[in-house]
Amino acid sequence: MVSTVHDIGTFTALSTLVATVFALLKAFSYVRQSVKGQKLPPGPAGVPFLGSLPFLTHYPEMALDKWAKKFGPLYSMWLGNQLFVVVSDPQVVKDLVITNGSIFSSRKEMYMKSKIIFVRRGITATPYDETWRKHRRLAAQFLGNKQISNYMPGLMLEVTDMLKALYSGGKAGEVPVNPQPHAGRTSLNNILTIAFGTRTDSIDHPLVGHWLKHSREFMNCTGPVSNVVDFVPFLRNFPNWTMVNRGKRLHQGLVDTCGGLISDIDRRMKAGEEVPECMAKFLLSVKEQEQLDDLDIIFICCAFMIGGVETTAAIKQWFLAHIPAFPEMQRRAQAEIDQVVGRDRVPVAADEKSLPFTRAIIKEIERVHNPFWLGTPHKSTEDFTYQGQFIPKGTVVIINAYTMHMDPKRYPEPEKFNPDRYINDHYTNTESANLADPYQRDHWMFGAGRRICPGIPLAEQEIFLAIAGLLWAFNMEQLPNEPIDLTEYDGLSGRSPVPFRIKMTPRDGRVKEVLAL
Ligand code: HEM
């Protein structure tokens, strides 16, 4: 009897608790479906305080894709105290981010990325303001088509150096090789040359290890939805339990690495020594005129190191991880290259237009293996109503590239690797990004609107040269007992494949002769 009364008491207390929690959840989700009395786009209710954050800790693109299917091409969600809208259709991206670029081109100053690591600099992390305009203008001078032609000898040097290292590392096809660090060093050297007029001579150079560590840590600390301290300010009071101290250490690491290279250039310039033309030299020379401080210069250079190394490296690495499973596609691309380029030289930029299948392979790799499924979110700076749905000022806008890249209407059997879907696409990535019809765009890997990646022409050239060079030089095969995992990836934000090894056999004796090995 006593126990029954006790049970009833416990049951009543539990029921009350559950009812209260549900009432709170309901009230919470109700309040959060409207702002200023206006209806937000529909979306997941989330949980109190954290919103939808707990559902986005790993493979966030999968959750965003599931919600896009449920709530449609424009939906909203809360992450802690921040409202997000997720845009999953090319026309809606165009209507908001491109046509209304004056409203949708800012960035949320994420606590970790903007405040702690980039200390409100670094182009990519700054709001849509005068500082951003100045820093982007200065950086863009190093990324135009004319500059890319000037970089060509350097880009070719890095490709041939990579092919040589892979030839030697794989002992001419006798031993398996992990090509990732070699692909990574090519990307690193391209940016080191442009930003600092220097390069590394092997994957054992200390800068390779240093930079790899920094960029991994950057990816892990700064994903657009991966860091709880960005959305729950109270947690910033506990820097040891959260990632705040890691962010501070990373800031210092970036200042030491990039700042060290810049100080050295400054010292050599002041000593009257010859310094190769590079971005750091230029920024130092216009420091006073442009009213730049030391941190401005460091983080403009860091923007290139962070934006331009892991990204292009990831595409080369995904190609190397993916293509061994498709020997017939390799043969087809190699036949195309042999016909246009021959066996007496490696492919150069001028060959690109005559190699439609090689280009199609590259675009298909980029569609399937975009390094940033969530891109770099934009932020709105005014209230806006889109087709009856209210987007308040200060909303963060995610361009949901995963859902758009996997749309079966645009890409039949989207999970299938099928370069032929791009065989008649003759546009460069830049031309494609500027097409009036957003459904005709090749992919959304570089973002959109006024914050679109300024590195597209450089990325496109160096990815083409590397992939065409690899196809020219090697047959790439999987190892029988080492299947390559194409679904898992490193990091929470930037995607590059988990470590793998392949067999890279030189296609013939010309490879050794042409590479002068
Ligand atoms: C495969 C290669 C690359 C990918 C996938 C990539 C992707 C992106 C994306 C998604 C954005 C954000 C766009 C948006 O806000 O809508 C971005 C911005 C940016 N990227 Fe790239 N990028 C690549 C290569 C490069 C290179 C080579 C550089 C420079 C050397 C670079 C420098 C930047 C900078 C500075 C920004 C910030 C732009 C701003 O906020 O105004 N990126 N990139």
Side-chain angles (χ1 to χ4, degrees):
M1 180 69 178
V2 172
S3 125
T4 311
V5 170
H6 182 76
D7 286 350
I8 291 170
T10 310
F11 178 75
T12 312
L14 266 177
S15 310
T16 313
L17 184 69
V18 169
T20 312
V21 168
F22 268 100
L24 275 173
L25 274 173
K26 197 157 178 268
F28 186 85
S29 62
Y30 173 73
V31 169
R32 294 195 155 215
Q33 280 163 10
S34 65
V35 164
K36 298 183 189 169
Q38 303 223 50
K39 204 164 145 280
L40 300 175
V47 300
F49 307 114
L50 295 175
S52 296
L53 203 55
F55 310 103
L56 299 173
T57 50
H58 206 48
Y59 297 116
E61 69 275 11
M62 293 298 166
L64 295 195
D65 186 48
K66 196 178 82 189
W67 291 329
K69 292 189 169 86
K70 185 168 176 192
F71 297 110
L74 178 68
Y75 66 87
S76 67
M77 62 181 185
W78 289 88
L79 302 188
N81 59 0
Q82 177 62 55
L83 176 67
F84 278 65
V85 293
V86 181
V87 186
S88 312
D89 177 85
Q91 187 61 49
V92 189
V93 177
K94 183 174 179 190
D95 292 345
L96 297 182
V97 174
I98 301 174
T99 310
N100 286 290
S102 60
I103 298 176
F104 290 98
S105 294
S106 199
R107 302 272 196 225
K108 177 179 165 66
E109 291 198 88
M110 296 283 191
Y111 183 69
M112 281 291 277
K113 182 175 174 179
S114 308
K115 296 191 179 161
I116 301 284
I117 300 171
F118 273 170
V119 287
R120 295 194 158 92
R121 294 166 175 83
I123 310 174
T124 176
T126 43
Y128 189 53
D129 61 10
E130 283 313 311
T131 304
W132 169 75
R133 245 173 232 109
K134 179 164 72 177
H135 290 189
R136 184 159 168 142
R137 170 176 56 79
L138 292 168
Q141 299 183 32
F142 288 81
L143 295 170
N145 284 327
K146 188 161 161 274
Q147 282 72 26
I148 311 292
S149 335
N150 295 339
Y151 301 152
M152 217 39 91
L155 298 182
M156 286 308 299
L157 166 72
E158 297 311 338
V159 172
T160 41
D161 212 39
M162 174 182 74
L163 299 179
K164 284 182 191 181
L166 287 166
Y167 188 104
S168 316
K171 300 214 180 331
E174 278 171 27
V175 298
V177 58
N178 175 359
Q180 289 168 285
H182 299 284
R185 185 173 73 89
T186 314
S187 295
L188 176 64
N189 275 354
N190 287 332
I191 296 296
L192 283 174
T193 307
I194 294 168
F196 305 109
T198 187
R199 65 187 292 274
T200 66
D201 51 9
S202 88
I203 56 170
D204 301 321
H205 191 290
L207 255 179
V208 177
H210 260 83
W211 197 258
L212 196 69
K213 202 178 83 201
H214 290 333
S215 50
R216 272 292 98 220
E217 185 66 350
F218 184 81
M219 297 298 177
N220 287 331
C221 289
T222 64
V225 296
S226 60
N227 209 323
V228 73
V229 287
D230 284 334
F231 307 110
V232 186
F234 161 76
L235 294 175
R236 295 170 198 168
N237 297 313
F238 307 100
N240 278 324
W241 301 351
T242 57
M243 281 188 159
V244 174
N245 281 346
R246 273 174 69 180
K248 286 182 179 164
R249 280 195 295 275
L250 175 58
H251 165 82
Q252 198 49 51
L254 294 175
V255 169
D256 292 345
T257 307
C258 291
L261 290 165
I262 295 164
S263 303
D264 189 49
I265 291 172
D266 196 27
R267 183 191 53 72
R268 283 155 56 205
M269 282 166 72
K270 284 180 179 145
E273 290 173 29
E274 188 143 346
V275 176
E277 292 310 317
C278 60
M279 188 164 71
K281 179 181 174 183
F282 166 73
L283 293 175
L284 286 166
S285 70
V286 296
K287 186 176 178 189
E288 275 170 26
Q289 178 193 333
E290 295 285 355
Q291 297 179 318
L292 301 170
D293 66 19
D294 290 345
L295 285 173
D296 288 334
I297 297 180
I298 289 173
F299 282 100
I300 295 174
C301 293
C302 267
F304 274 37
M305 295 286 280
I306 293 283
V309 177
E310 278 284 300
T311 47
T312 52
I315 295 298
K316 295 169 201 167
Q317 292 170 354
W318 282 116
F319 165 80
L320 285 155
H322 209 122
I323 207 67
F326 298 91
E328 72 296 346
M329 287 186 196
Q330 285 186 60
R331 303 295 160 264
R332 191 172 149 197
Q334 286 164 342
E336 177 184 79
I337 290 172
D338 290 352
Q339 202 186 9
V340 173
V341 179
R343 302 301 299 153
D344 294 335
R345 61 176 178 85
V346 290
V348 296
D351 299 318
E352 189 178 358
K353 285 217 174 320
S354 313
L355 298 173
F357 190 62
T358 307
R359 285 166 53 118
I361 288 182
I362 294 171
K363 287 203 175 191
E364 181 69 343
I365 289 283
E366 292 171 348
R367 181 186 72 85
V368 182
H369 289 300
N370 179 2
F372 297 110
W373 283 127
L374 277 52
T376 309
H378 295 211
K379 195 185 86 169
S380 64
T381 44
E382 285 175 32
D383 288 350
F384 191 79
T385 300
Y386 182 72
Q387 298 186 346
Q389 306 187 82
F390 183 59
I391 304 172
K393 174 181 171 177
T395 301
V396 175
V397 180
I398 290 184
I399 298 173
N400 183 2
Y402 182 83
T403 300
M404 292 194 290
H405 286 198
M406 295 294 158
D407 178 1
K409 288 204 276 313
R410 172 77 210 282
Y411 309 104
E413 297 185 89
E415 64 297 330
K416 208 168 142 188
F417 182 70
N418 175 14
D420 273 313
R421 47 177 118 242
Y422 285 111
I423 199 70
N424 294 318
D425 178 343
H426 305 298
Y427 294 115
T428 63
N429 294 138
T430 309
E431 287 164 349
S432 195
N434 289 325
L435 290 174
D437 178 357
Y439 295 101
Q440 293 306 313
R441 186 170 163 179
D442 46 13
H443 52 61
W444 297 85
M445 180 176 89
F446 293 108
R450 299 181 190 186
R451 303 301 287 251
I452 196 168
C453 177
I456 300 178
L458 174 63
E460 184 161 22
Q461 274 307 326
E462 69 165 282
I463 289 169
F464 167 76
L465 292 174
I467 289 182
L470 286 162
L471 284 163
W472 178 87
F474 299 107
N475 290 322
M476 292 157 273
E477 290 167 77
Q478 278 184 336
L479 304 172
N481 300 322
E482 295 185 29
I484 299 171
D485 186 345
L486 294 174
T487 53
E488 196 50 66
Y489 61 83
D490 264 354
L492 293 166
S493 151
R495 298 177 68 248
S496 50
V498 290
F500 66 92
R501 297 193 310 164
I502 55 173
K503 190 171 173 207
M504 300 187 74
T505 312
R507 288 183 55 215
D508 55 27
R510 295 297 292 145
V511 176
K512 188 173 178 188
E513 288 163 23
V514 172
L515 296 177
L517 281 157

